[in-house]
Amino acid sequence: MLVCWCGSNIAGTVDINTVVEASKREPGVVYATDYQYMCAEGGQAMVRRAIEEHSLTGIVVSACSPRMHETTFRKAAAAAGLNPYMVEIANIREHCSWVHKDKEVGTEKAVVLMRAAIAKLNLNTPLFPGESGVIKRALVIGGGIAGIQTALDIADAGYEVDIVEKSPTIGGTMAQLDKTFPTLDCAACILTPKMVDAAQHDKITLYTYSEVDEVSGFVGNFSVKIRQKARCINSKLCNGCGDCIEKCPAKKAKSEFDEGLANRKAIYVPFAQAVPNVPVIDQTQCLKFKTGKCGLCEKVCLPKAINFEQQDEIIEKEYGVIIAATGFRPLSPERYGEYGYGQLPDVITSLEFERLMNAAGPTGGALLRRSNGEKPKSIVFIQCVGSRAEPDKGKSYCSKICCMYTAKHAMLVRDKYPNIDVSVFYIDVRTPGKNFDEFYRRAVEQYGVNYIKGMVGKIAEEDGRLRVQGSDLIEDTQIFVDADLVVLATAVEAQASARPLGTMLTASMDQNNFFSESHAKLRPVESPTAGIFLSGVCQGPKDIPETVAQAGAAAVKALGILSKDKLIGNPCIAGPDELLCNGCASCEKVCPYGAITYADKEINDHGHRTTRHVAEINEAICQGCGACTVTCPSGAMDLKGFTNRQIMAEVDAICR
């Protein structure tokens, strides 16, 4: 029995000596001691010496969460010749010292947890993990800057990578931007070379206009079905000449790339630098699909690349690792009637403003009002639209990038149009990154942007202009600002596809539909599901530099698996008692990993041989989640390392 002080983390609210002395009275305990930092090198050496000198058959370490250091203590036990699964952790830091201020109460609970761990250890048996091979290919879901960077890093290490992107082109939201903060350099100048590198890399395969339909398997051996939607274009024949787009008469579809501010044709390439530079036919807008007539594009296509009969294709591939890089979408502000978005044409979102300011945008980079096509004389930016809100009104979290991109927008306006008055309504200005606060100060001090600490309560149209009513919290007054254009900095939220994808990947999601990391500090790019990694804003709001950094980190973690020929499995897996199994298949239905199947087997039931329909476990797939054990009505299913007997022994020890 080994008790850790964890400095004052545990010792501050738990009487270590009392826990040690109490453990000596427990059945099976032959040695008990404490150490200030058990996870340190000295503590690990002490663990090894204790095992060797006292011939210990198992150890209980009362310390911090097993998520932190269970592997550490298992390695120490293995180094001393003890089976690593004969190690139990009593979590007396998070469960005691961190939640109790009263030392007497914390100590009492620590003793109880220690007692429960010893009771379980007395019933433990050595476990031996199996092995499984690794498929040397990675799948990246999402083709934005995060997905591209992750794919390039993995491919540069010599492994094959597939990028699945639901849009007709890779690039993501960054492709829509004009400039990036805090350097105000061209977004396309940074992104386009990356897109070209990904397309030309001999280790990267792009599946654009595609979605993941189904995922099965486990770390090192994932099976994935990819639905490649029908472009109605043969990508191998298309030479990108654009004749088909020029002749298309259907011109009323709203451009997704331009946020609906401009129209596109039924056959289109999203933007000039799209990769791949292959058109796609929007079947909901194409006259050939709607009326059976037209077909002009087919007639003018010299390479004969257009195929109206093309169908969706299901591609089945196998991967060793999967990286989620699904990105984000801006929250729609239509729910906030006080801003008039959707009713007042001169109230737009920040992403729509990006397209208006972009030289490749719908107005050629000219900042014009949507209502009358005139240049605005004054602009009001409104921060935190949907961010830091009550749960029923928006998102409770800070979207992290809005303060900076609003400062960027304000500076770009003042730089290009010095005569335009710019005001910003804000709650707080948050600029925590490198050179971020200096960037914001430039907007105020150098460009003369008027920052107003307060919230906007109403926007109304009066005499062809917008009247913005808000509060000035510094002056403690209600103010009115006349504007020609209002820009809403809307919250960043997860893609609508994130939750269904998370279900397919059996990955954890938070309440806001962002993917949850395994550990916020120690494993920030790993999902709790082995082999699933997180890249970019799918895990939470972040800017481009942070996204690229996380993309590289996800690639490194993925390479850690791809570089191995074999993976050591988890021996804490389910196992059926064939004598008790009644063949009901309840466990098969609840298994999220598809690890349980049924087969007819000859069973020797106390000398009486019968053929029964019983459960079988694929040990390579089973992740030891335990869902089957609680579902089994006959009690036939059990979990190695966490058997019903062991759990009940812990309960009995707690209730003593």
Side-chain angles (χ1 to χ4, degrees), residues 208-262:
T208 54
Y209 208 47
S210 304
E211 294 182 359
V212 173
D213 254 12
E214 185 179 319
V215 179
S216 59
F218 53 98
V219 56
N221 292 269
F222 292 107
S223 295
V224 180
K225 290 183 180 179
I226 302 168
R227 179 178 296 275
Q228 193 164 39
K229 293 179 283 188
R231 284 179 179 263
C232 298
I233 307 287
N234 187 323
S235 301
K236 295 179 180 178
L237 296 178
C238 179
N239 61 11
C241 67
D243 289 346
C244 54
I245 300 174
E246 183 180 345
K247 293 295 183 181
C248 179
K251 306 176 181 179
K252 296 183 179 180
K254 294 295 183 183
S255 168
E256 296 86 355
F257 186 74
D258 282 325
E259 292 295 303
L261 299 177

Side-chain angles (χ1 to χ4, degrees), residues 11-166:
T13 48
V14 172
D15 188 327
I16 301 297
N17 187 60
T18 298
V19 177
V20 172
E21 292 303 315
S23 69
K24 293 178 180 178
R25 298 190 292 270
E26 293 299 308
V29 175
V30 297
Y31 176 75
T33 189
D34 61 276
Y35 192 78
Q36 193 162 15
Y37 292 104
M38 198 71 69
C39 61
E41 187 175 344
Q44 298 299 291
M46 190 189 72
V47 170
R48 293 191 295 270
R49 286 197 305 271
I51 294 171
E52 293 167 353
E53 293 174 4
H54 298 275
S55 301
L56 302 180
T57 58
I59 60 171
V60 171
V61 183
S62 292
C64 59
S65 166
R67 291 182 65 193
M68 292 281 287
H69 286 302
E70 184 175 60
T71 302
T72 303
F73 294 118
R74 281 180 174 177
K75 286 180 179 178
L82 181 65
N83 185 283
Y85 295 93
M86 296 301 289
V87 176
E88 288 295 327
I89 308 294
N91 184 358
I92 64 170
R93 188 179 72 172
E94 283 84 342
H95 290 176
C96 296
S97 64
W98 281 10
V99 293
H100 294 294
K101 301 299 181 184
D102 188 308
K103 193 164 188 175
E104 185 177 342
V105 173
T107 302
E108 182 182 358
K109 187 175 181 181
V111 170
V112 169
L113 292 178
M114 169 273 296
R115 213 162 51 207
I118 293 173
K120 180 177 183 295
L121 180 63
N122 284 331
L123 295 175
N124 278 12
T125 56
L127 299 176
F128 301 94
E131 294 182 344
S132 61
V134 178
I135 296 167
K136 307 289 188 174
R137 185 186 296 113
L139 171 64
V140 176
I141 305 174
I145 182 60
I148 292 171
Q149 187 63 54
T150 299
L152 285 171
D153 287 345
I154 295 174
D156 286 343
Y159 296 94
E160 294 184 7
V161 188
D162 293 347
I163 298 178
V164 174
E165 168 56 46
K166 65 180 180 180

Side-chain angles (χ1 to χ4, degrees), residues 10 14 16 63 79 107 172 176 201 356 397 417 424 436 473 551 563 652:
I10 294 175
V14 172
I16 301 297
T107 302
Q176 298 176 269
H201 205 295
L356 288 177
Y397 52 82
Y417 306 101
V424 178
F436 282 13
L473 297 181
S563 62
D652 289 342

Side-chain angles (χ1 to χ4, degrees), residues 150 524-525 534-540 542 545-555:
T150 299
V525 300
L534 313 177
S535 177
V537 187
C538 73
Q539 181 260 340
K542 51 183 64 71
E546 191 178 354
T547 293
V548 172
Q550 187 180 22

